[in-house]
Amino acid sequence: MQILTSSVGRKILMAITGQLMVLFVVVHLLGNSSIYIGADGINAYAKHLHDLGPLVWVFRLAMLSLLSVHVLFGIQLTLENSAASPQAYAVKNYRKATFASDNMIWTGLLILVFLVYHLMQFTARVTPDIVQGVDTAGRYDVFTMVLTSFQKGGIAFIYVAAMVVLFLHLSHGIQSFFQTVGWNNDKTLPVITKLAKVVAVVFLVGYSSIPVFILTGILSK
Ligand code: HEM
């Protein structure tokens, strides 16, 4: 299949898988925000999700496929690009490079490391900080679990640092999607670049607010 063998085809697949994962990041942020309602909010939300049963696994497999394509092609394209242009600066000046655009591979790999840690922590629940239990309604107590973990400064710090890395990756990644699929021109590019930054800032502030508010005691039982 040419889409898999040509570098343009692989870039398009990376752009599409990336944007589908951005949709997940939006939905996950909305879901996580239910923590501001309190235990009743996030525990009920988590129960609804788990009650979906086998659908949860369909969703997880779909996410894993998206992630695998995105990561593997990302590594491959980076290796190919550096082999093709050892003096990278000589071919880059057609578009302004930024710290974020220059370091997509590193921010991407750091997000992958964060994701493994995050899944071991809140999904597999095998990290030492995890407090397991049920609430008065018999639901899994996600509220207490998240609260107890983020009351530890080191864990809250890891999350905020990871959200800064996610901000860098998405502030370039979202606008790059529009370039790759060709939905931009000289007029719209500055608008798209700004919008991508705004969306990335919303993720940074939205996700980071949870560990920060918990660590500072603003969000508590
Ligand atoms: C403050 C930030 C975050 C909090 C508090 C948080 C919280 C959670 C919790 C509680 C779960 C387990 C849900 C359950 O099984 O009941 C979860 C799962 C997950 N989170 Fe996060 N999350 C955060 C940031 C992120 C980010 C930035 C990403 C992606 C880049 C992410 C990706 C995931 C994924 C893929 C799952 C697994 C979903 C599944 O069960 O299949 N999370 N998160």
Side-chain angles (χ1 to χ4, degrees):
M1 280 198 297
Q2 215 189 334
I3 192 149
L4 294 177
T5 50
S6 81
S7 70
V8 174
R10 280 178 283 163
K11 245 202 140 250
I12 290 176
L13 278 180
M14 277 201 72
I16 294 170
T17 50
Q19 282 326 290
L20 289 174
M21 289 192 289
V22 168
L23 280 186
F24 169 80
V25 174
V26 173
V27 173
H28 194 46
L29 177 58
L30 291 174
N32 285 347
S33 303
S34 63
I35 200 165
Y36 290 116
I37 301 171
D40 243 356
I42 195 157
N43 292 357
Y45 168 69
K47 185 173 184 308
H48 284 309
L49 283 187
H50 287 268
D51 285 350
L52 294 174
L55 267 186
V56 174
W57 280 101
V58 173
F59 166 78
R60 283 175 175 165
L61 283 177
M63 287 293 296
L64 187 66
S65 315
L66 294 178
L67 184 68
S68 309
V69 169
H70 194 80
V71 172
L72 291 176
F73 285 170
I75 293 173
Q76 199 183 33
L77 282 168
T78 307
L79 291 176
E80 281 174 11
N81 285 348
S82 60
S85 55
Q87 295 129 327
Y89 57 85
V91 290
K92 253 194 223 144
N93 52 10
Y94 70 97
R95 207 199 298 172
K96 215 173 92 197
T98 59
F99 178 80
S101 71
D102 274 345
N103 290 287
M104 287 302 276
I105 185 70
W106 302 116
T107 50
L109 290 174
L110 280 172
I111 293 166
L112 186 63
V113 172
F114 162 75
L115 209 55
V116 172
Y117 169 66
H118 183 54
L119 293 182
M120 283 171 60
Q121 189 179 32
F122 290 155
T123 301
R125 295 162 187 159
V126 291
T127 52
D129 54 297
I130 287 301
V131 171
Q132 307 219 42
V134 288
D135 64 11
T136 47
R139 296 171 300 208
Y140 193 82
D141 196 354
V142 176
F143 183 75
T144 305
M145 174 181 78
V146 172
L147 205 74
T148 324
S149 293
F150 287 161
Q151 275 165 348
K152 296 178 173 65
I155 295 178
F157 176 81
I158 289 173
Y159 271 75
V160 175
M163 294 313 111
V164 172
V165 176
L166 184 70
F167 161 78
L168 288 171
H169 197 75
L170 295 189
S171 61
H172 177 72
I174 295 173
Q175 65 107 26
S176 181
F177 166 80
F178 290 92
Q179 295 241 328
T180 301
V181 297
W183 291 348
N184 73 318
N185 55 41
D186 285 352
K187 259 198 193 138
T188 55
L189 184 63
V191 182
I192 287 171
T193 307
K194 270 208 188 83
L195 265 179
K197 283 224 174 77
V198 170
V199 173
V201 166
V202 170
F203 293 150
L204 172 63
V205 174
Y207 277 111
S208 298
S209 69
I210 299 174
V212 168
F213 283 163
I214 291 174
L215 189 65
T216 52
I218 295 170
L219 181 59
S220 62
K221 282 203 176 182

